[in-house]
Amino acid sequence: MGALAFLFVGFSAYTVLNKKRNLNVSKSELSIQEVTEDYFEDFMTFQAQVEPLNSVLVNVVEGGSVQEIYVNNGDQVRKGQPLVRLYNPNTELNYMQQETAIIEQINNLNKAKLDLRNQELGMAKDLIGIEHDYQDAHQLYELNKKLYAQEIIAKNEWERTQENYRFQKERIDIIKQSIAKEKQANRIQISQMGQSVSIMQKSLEALRKNKQNFLIVAPETGRLTSFEPVIGKTYEQGQPLAKIDVMKGYKLIAQVDEFYLEKLAEGQKGTVEFGGKNLEVQISKVIAEVKSGRFQVELNFLSPDISGLRQGLSFGVRLNLSAKTRSLVLPKGAFYAETSGQWIFVVHDDKAERRNIKLGRENPLYYEVISGLKAGEQVITSSYKDYISKDELTIQN
């Protein structure tokens, strides 16, 4: 009796533990799809917006308040065309003070150069007098030399003549050496002063050119955008004032979900539909900086015929991530949110049984089936929210 009771309890426990958790479900609440063998193409789609191929920022070089506005946002502007004039009295005064200081320094250097040349002129005049004294001493020396030989003049007078000639000769030699050194030093100083003057003149030109920075002009020809100045509004140095779209071609800008960051790379190709045609595009830049779960991708048009495009148009881009391959595929559905692709309900007649599966790649339409399913089998692809804990479903019409 004890043994029979033990067997009964064990059988009951086994039955309870292995009994499938079942739920009756109306067929109208389910979405049932067929597993098929087909060509699987790994692709993705996302929205992208047309923008000019190249844009130039217009920045404020010298900060100030808006004094005059010459153009409007959206206008076509030419390179060098005035856009707006700023005014800053403090900067204007500072420029004037700098300009005055530089001009004063240039004048001082020019005066110093003139003084050196006048000094050389004075030494040249002195040398003429010294040379005259030397010539007189030399002539007297030659004359008295003959007279002394003829015993016409006394010895002491001859000795004075010799001493004066020696003094004048040494004097002129020393003066000539001194003048040569002075000229050499003066030439070096004048050259350095000339270089300094040249640098200061360039600084003066740059300063006067900077004074023109209050008049902001277009750096390129194109369409003016993001231009919203107001009379009296103050802009800081380096602050962007506007953007000029250089209308020489277009590109696509897209914000893509961070899930695809590792799958996208420069050079990948895709298509967009425009004017009844498929235009080929190619990724030119992937900016791998994620903001709010998305990152930016730039694409260029490869098709030559893109006439009719204009800024602001939006396109759905189809991007091929791999070539077509023959695979077992499963239509996408809401079931994935609860199962993460690890299991699914497989339909047989009026029953649906839970089965473990393994999925691979995906595209906007299909999942690639690795294992767990066969071609022709029916599966439930709608949401499993209400019966995620069930093992079996009974499908009622």
Side-chain angles (χ1 to χ4, degrees):
M1 291 292 290
L4 290 174
F6 177 76
L7 290 173
F8 177 77
V9 172
F11 177 76
S12 299
Y14 175 81
T15 302
V16 170
L17 291 174
N18 289 276
K19 182 179 180 180
K20 292 184 177 180
R21 293 166 292 181
N22 187 281
L23 180 68
N24 295 330
V25 181
S26 174
K27 188 175 183 180
S28 61
E29 298 177 2
L30 305 177
S31 175
I32 300 176
Q33 301 286 343
E34 182 179 353
V35 179
T36 59
E37 187 174 353
D38 202 349
Y39 285 102
F40 178 84
E41 185 177 9
D42 194 3
F43 71 93
M44 62 176 292
T45 59
F46 52 85
Q47 288 296 120
Q49 195 170 36
V50 176
E51 289 193 7
L53 189 61
N54 296 303
S55 296
V56 179
L57 282 177
V58 182
N59 294 325
V60 174
V61 180
E62 291 291 347
S65 59
V66 178
Q67 189 177 38
E68 295 179 87
I69 302 173
Y70 305 109
V71 293
N72 296 314
N73 191 39
D75 288 353
Q76 290 288 332
V77 296
R78 305 180 310 277
K79 183 176 181 179
Q81 180 178 346
L83 306 178
V84 67
R85 180 182 292 278
L86 303 179
Y87 177 68
N88 188 326
N90 293 330
T91 305
E92 287 274 9
L93 179 60
N94 185 41
Y95 279 151
M96 292 176 61
Q97 291 173 344
Q98 291 183 48
E99 185 176 7
T100 303
I102 292 174
I103 293 174
E104 185 177 355
Q105 290 179 16
I106 291 175
N107 291 336
N108 291 337
L109 288 173
N110 287 331
K111 183 178 180 300
K113 289 166 62 178
L114 182 61
D115 290 341
L116 290 175
R117 290 193 176 98
N118 288 335
Q119 181 183 356
E120 289 185 4
L121 183 60
M123 289 189 298
K125 290 180 180 179
D126 293 340
L127 184 60
I128 291 174
I130 294 171
E131 286 179 341
H132 182 268
D133 293 342
Y134 171 74
Q135 290 297 332
D136 286 348
H138 180 67
Q139 290 175 3
L140 184 60
Y141 173 82
E142 293 294 334
L143 177 61
N144 287 349
K145 182 179 179 181
K146 293 177 182 179
L147 294 176
Y148 179 74
Q150 297 174 5
E151 298 181 352
I152 297 176
I153 61 174
K155 181 179 181 182
N156 59 347
E157 186 176 353
W158 167 239
E159 289 177 349
R160 284 196 302 271
T161 301
Q162 285 183 309
E163 177 61 23
N164 183 53
Y165 176 66
R166 181 194 63 77
F167 168 75
Q168 294 297 340
K169 184 177 181 181
E170 291 182 358
R171 179 188 178 195
I172 195 171
D173 290 340
I174 292 173
I175 293 299
K176 284 183 176 180
Q177 291 177 12
S178 177
I179 290 175
K181 290 180 180 179
E182 286 289 338
K183 284 185 176 181
Q184 184 178 7
N186 288 351
R187 281 195 295 269
I188 294 174
Q189 290 187 54
I190 291 173
S191 175
Q192 292 175 344
M193 289 178 184
Q195 292 176 1
S196 298
V197 169
S198 177
I199 293 173
M200 289 182 183
Q201 287 176 339
K202 290 180 180 179
S203 299
L204 187 60
E205 292 175 3
L207 181 65
R208 289 171 175 170
K209 186 176 180 181
N210 287 340
K211 290 174 66 177
Q212 301 175 3
N213 288 332
F214 289 114
L215 179 64
I216 300 177
V217 299
E220 287 291 343
T221 298
R223 190 166 70 89
L224 188 66
T225 61
S226 304
F227 182 67
E228 299 176 353
V230 179
I231 297 295
K233 182 178 179 180
T234 301
Y235 286 89
E236 300 293 334
Q237 183 180 13
Q239 184 176 349
L241 176 69
K243 185 174 72 171
I244 295 178
D245 296 329
V246 183
M247 312 305 285
K248 295 180 181 179
Y250 295 93
K251 63 183 176 182
L252 291 172
I253 301 294
Q255 301 296 326
V256 183
D257 190 278
E258 62 181 329
F259 173 79
Y260 295 100
L261 183 58
E262 298 298 326
K263 295 186 177 183
L264 299 188
E266 295 180 8
Q268 289 177 319
K269 295 181 180 180
T271 57
V272 298
E273 186 177 346
F274 176 67
K277 299 179 181 178
N278 284 329
L279 302 181
E280 193 174 15
V281 295
Q282 185 178 42
I283 293 179
S284 60
K285 185 184 296 184
V286 176
I287 303 175
E289 181 181 358
V290 179
K291 295 180 180 179
S292 301
R294 307 182 77 80
F295 65 98
Q296 183 171 301
V297 176
E298 294 185 9
L299 304 98
N300 289 338
F301 288 93
L302 298 181
S303 303
D305 184 16
I306 57 173
S307 58
L309 282 178
R310 64 180 183 272
Q311 185 177 0
L313 289 177
S314 182
F315 292 100
V317 180
R318 177 187 171 105
L319 195 68
N320 301 319
L321 302 179
S322 68
K324 291 182 179 180
T325 55
R326 193 77 176 176
S327 303
L328 198 63
V329 295
L330 166 66
K332 300 190 78 170
F335 76 96
Y336 194 89
E338 284 79 30
T339 69
S340 299
Q342 297 180 356
W343 59 274
I344 200 169
F345 280 111
V346 182
V347 178
H348 294 286
D349 298 328
D350 61 346
K351 298 288 185 181
E353 295 183 350
R354 178 169 175 158
R355 183 189 299 177
N356 291 332
I357 61 172
K358 184 178 180 181
L359 302 180
R361 297 172 297 172
E362 64 177 284
N363 62 32
L365 302 177
Y366 297 102
Y367 294 110
E368 183 183 32
V369 178
I370 303 300
S371 63
L373 294 173
K374 297 179 181 179
E377 289 187 310
Q378 302 285 323
V379 295
I380 297 174
T381 58
S382 51
S383 175
Y384 291 1
K385 184 177 180 181
D386 297 330
Y387 36 90
I388 188 172
S389 61
K390 304 302 179 181
D391 298 315
E392 184 180 80
L393 303 179
T394 300
I395 303 173
Q396 298 176 340
N397 292 324

